Amino acid sequence: MRLAAERVARIHGWRPALSPADANLLVVAGPDDPAMTPFLDSMWQQIPVPRARIHLGVPEAVEAGLASSADQVRSTEGQPEAEISPPHEEHRTPMPHHDQMAMSHDHGGHAGHDMGGMEMPGGIPMADRAPDRDELKLDQLTVPLGPGLPAWPSGLLIRAKLQGDVIQEAAVDVLGNPPAGTEPFWADVRRHPARRLDSCVRLLTVAGWEDAAITAARLRDDILADKDVESAVARWVRRVRRSRTLRWSLSGLGILNGPKWTDRPEEGDAYDRLMRRLSPTPTKHDPAAILDALPRLLAGAEFATARLIVASLDPDLERLRVAHG
């Protein structure tokens, strides 16, 4: 459902919003998930009018559903008149530090625990003071990262203690469960080339190379549609491999080494993982091991660096939830 929605949005020339305040359409893809409801409601409250919200339950409904929602955004019918402001007036709710902070809600899950902090209105904890690495007293704030960040694994929630933009401590949760009997979408070996490209889309998007990410998404969708794009993929791979800026941006981030990671797709740093995804060689993916390693990898990382580390690992949480279910 997500892939179908992304494909239709790309065809229409729509761009994903970087925060709820920049959006006017909230698309919920897939089955109903009570664990996600508080986060979706929080995002919806932050989207300024005119706005529309749609839940896509079957792939056949995607194109018509998105078109109908776009028409709703363009029309004032059904919009709360009291909330519609003239163009020169500011009508967006001020966001706290990092947009994802407003999506705060406690849920149980994998490796999750309460990191403390007094809850304030809106679910935002009060900032404490603690010494940083230079022994200076700085505000320390616990914020949730995800599950609604752009280019972020669906259902991943990381509660991070921040001092400035540096993560001091992180705890990982996985939200939601697929319906009983559901086969993970990427379990089909024929889809593995598309899965690798989908991961590249996330990492390149977070790294800021939008053009290469859009090309990867188009090639991913063509592979899923059984189109012959082998030569186009080869050209794209050569282009990505030649980027010195990308190598400089990703090298040394989120290093995983030691016997446990030898010959694994997660071994090495973020750049190593990207290069491995550009290869057609099949690899074994272990989302549980990735989630276990994330708190250690994110401790001491800046916020932007943490986004790159998560995107480079891109755990297949659907496979993990099905295994645990």
Side-chain angles (χ1 to χ4, degrees), residues 81-254:
E81 297 182 4
E83 298 182 22
I84 300 179
S85 304
H88 65 278
E89 293 185 10
E90 180 59 47
H91 60 268
R92 296 179 178 178
T93 304
M95 296 291 292
H97 186 267
H98 299 308
D99 295 315
Q100 67 279 2
M101 282 180 53
M103 308 170 204
S104 177
H105 195 86
D106 281 339
H107 295 282
H110 182 91
H113 63 270
D114 185 4
M115 297 176 62
M118 183 179 296
E119 292 296 323
M120 296 294 286
I124 306 302
M126 179 180 293
D128 298 321
R129 293 181 69 83
D132 72 347
R133 291 172 294 183
D134 299 320
E135 299 301 323
L136 299 175
K137 285 284 187 179
L138 297 177
D139 283 346
Q140 186 177 73
L141 186 65
T142 300
V143 300
L145 309 181
L149 288 174
W152 185 262
S154 178
L156 180 63
L157 174 63
I158 296 177
R159 293 185 177 90
K161 281 188 176 180
L162 289 176
Q163 282 185 313
D165 61 351
V166 177
I167 296 176
Q168 303 296 323
E169 183 181 345
V172 179
D173 279 343
V174 176
L175 304 182
N177 290 291
T182 300
E183 178 74 10
F185 183 79
W186 297 119
D188 189 336
V189 67
R190 295 170 297 180
R191 294 172 176 165
H192 286 187
R195 158 66 177 164
R196 290 195 291 271
L197 283 171
D198 188 53
S199 293
C200 291
V201 171
R202 283 199 170 103
L203 182 53
L204 293 172
T205 298
V206 177
W209 197 358
E210 183 180 20
D211 181 60
I214 292 174
T215 301
R218 177 176 55 79
L219 293 172
R220 172 201 66 192
D221 296 341
D222 287 345
I223 290 174
L224 292 174
D226 294 325
K227 296 182 180 179
D228 184 6
V229 293
E230 184 176 354
S231 59
V233 171
R235 288 194 300 271
W236 176 83
V237 167
R238 288 195 296 269
R239 180 187 178 198
V240 173
R241 287 186 185 276
R242 288 197 301 264
S243 174
R244 295 182 179 179
T245 302
L246 194 62
R247 177 189 292 269
W248 174 83
S249 300
L250 301 179
S251 294
L253 302 184

